[in-house]
Amino acid sequence: MNNMDGFQRRREKKKESIRRAALELFSAHGVQKVSIAEIAEKANVSQVTIYNHFGSKDELLKDVLIQLAYKKYEEYNEILESNIPFPEKIEKMVFNKRETVKMFNEDFLNAYFSNDPEIQAFTEDFYNNTTIPLIRKIIEQGKKEGYIHHDISSDAFWFYITLFINRPELYAKLDKTTMMDITTLFFYGLLGKPPIEKEHRHISWGHS
């Protein structure tokens, strides 16, 4: 490993430490109430280091949101690629999303639906190139395994899905409980029936 590789590795490690500290503070207290000084203290770096790496708190926030979006995508994709039964995959996805929403301060959640042009551009690109392909995989797998009806047209599926993903500005007006309910409605609307008591799952999760 040459000196440049070592420098780059240390640089990325420091940036990741700053991201983790910022995410923890933003999610607990909201964006407005957290200062660069507090992030620096938690990450055990100087404020100058944060400014050198990210430029400003706003730029750090955008970086955190982008990294978080990709992290959640990876978690969802890992669930979908696992060998557990399809209904359990849906349950894990719902639980994952609901727990994520529960842990975040509403001010931080609203940052996802910001009017900032860069965040909006990223969100649109992420939906088109990452979220929608993942949803296609969910639908294809659900149909293949018999949990999603084959006789429902693709047009109907995409109309249903766009009700949830094409109006992000509406989410900023919702409280966390409603957002969690919408997540449940989204996934179990696709599946066609809600989860039941775990001890009875093997009886009722049969194919329609």
Side-chain angles (χ1 to χ4, degrees):
M1 181 176 68
N2 60 41
N3 290 338
M4 183 59 69
D5 289 339
F7 171 80
Q8 190 63 28
R9 185 168 298 184
R10 288 191 299 273
R11 175 184 172 86
E12 289 305 316
K13 187 175 181 180
K14 192 164 290 187
K15 287 179 70 174
E16 185 56 33
S17 177
I18 294 168
R19 288 190 190 105
R20 284 198 303 269
L23 175 59
E24 186 173 334
L25 291 170
F26 288 157
S27 63
H29 307 294
V31 178
Q32 301 303 320
K33 294 182 179 179
V34 175
S35 68
I36 287 290
E38 290 170 318
I39 297 170
E41 182 179 1
K42 190 166 189 64
N44 196 29
V45 300
S46 70
Q47 294 182 57
V48 172
T49 297
I50 294 179
Y51 286 117
N52 284 342
H53 285 305
F54 297 99
S56 68
K57 190 172 84 168
D58 285 345
E59 291 303 313
L60 173 57
L61 171 63
K62 292 173 191 176
D63 187 279
V64 167
L65 292 174
I66 290 169
Q67 295 300 321
L68 179 61
Y70 281 113
K71 179 177 183 293
K72 301 314 291 185
Y73 163 76
E74 289 170 3
E75 289 175 2
Y76 275 51
N77 194 58
E78 185 176 336
I79 292 170
L80 191 60
E81 295 295 330
S82 68
N83 293 323
I84 63 176
F86 186 77
E88 291 186 30
K89 294 178 183 180
I90 298 297
E91 186 173 343
K92 282 181 176 290
M93 289 179 188
V94 172
F95 179 79
N96 183 305
K97 184 65 174 289
R98 289 173 68 92
E99 288 302 301
T100 298
V101 172
K102 279 168 61 178
M103 70 180 283
F104 288 154
N105 177 283
E106 290 187 19
D107 174 51
F108 180 62
L109 285 174
N110 289 341
Y112 260 114
F113 313 112
S114 164
N115 291 324
D116 181 280
E118 286 186 44
I119 294 179
Q120 288 185 331
F122 167 76
T123 300
E124 182 177 353
D125 180 74
F126 190 83
Y127 277 145
N128 290 333
N129 297 307
T130 307
T131 302
I132 288 178
L134 179 65
I135 292 171
R136 287 188 187 277
K137 287 173 67 175
I138 293 171
I139 292 172
E140 289 168 5
Q141 192 174 119
K143 281 187 171 184
K144 183 178 180 180
E145 296 185 23
Y147 290 100
I148 295 177
H149 290 293
H150 285 270
D151 55 355
I152 298 177
S153 70
S154 296
D155 286 344
F157 270 123
W158 290 111
F159 178 79
Y160 171 78
I161 287 165
T162 55
L163 293 178
F164 290 89
I165 67 174
N166 279 4
R167 295 293 303 280
E169 73 277 7
L170 297 179
Y171 285 83
K173 302 175 183 178
L174 303 176
D175 58 38
K176 291 199 287 187
T177 300
T178 304
M179 290 180 73
M180 290 189 290
D181 288 343
I182 287 173
T183 298
T184 301
L185 177 63
F186 175 80
F187 281 107
Y188 290 115
L190 284 175
L191 193 61
K193 61 178 79 174
I196 60 170
E197 296 292 332
K198 286 189 177 181
E199 58 266 27
H200 301 304
R201 183 182 294 134
H202 67 285
I203 298 174
S204 297
W205 275 123
H207 295 196
S208 310

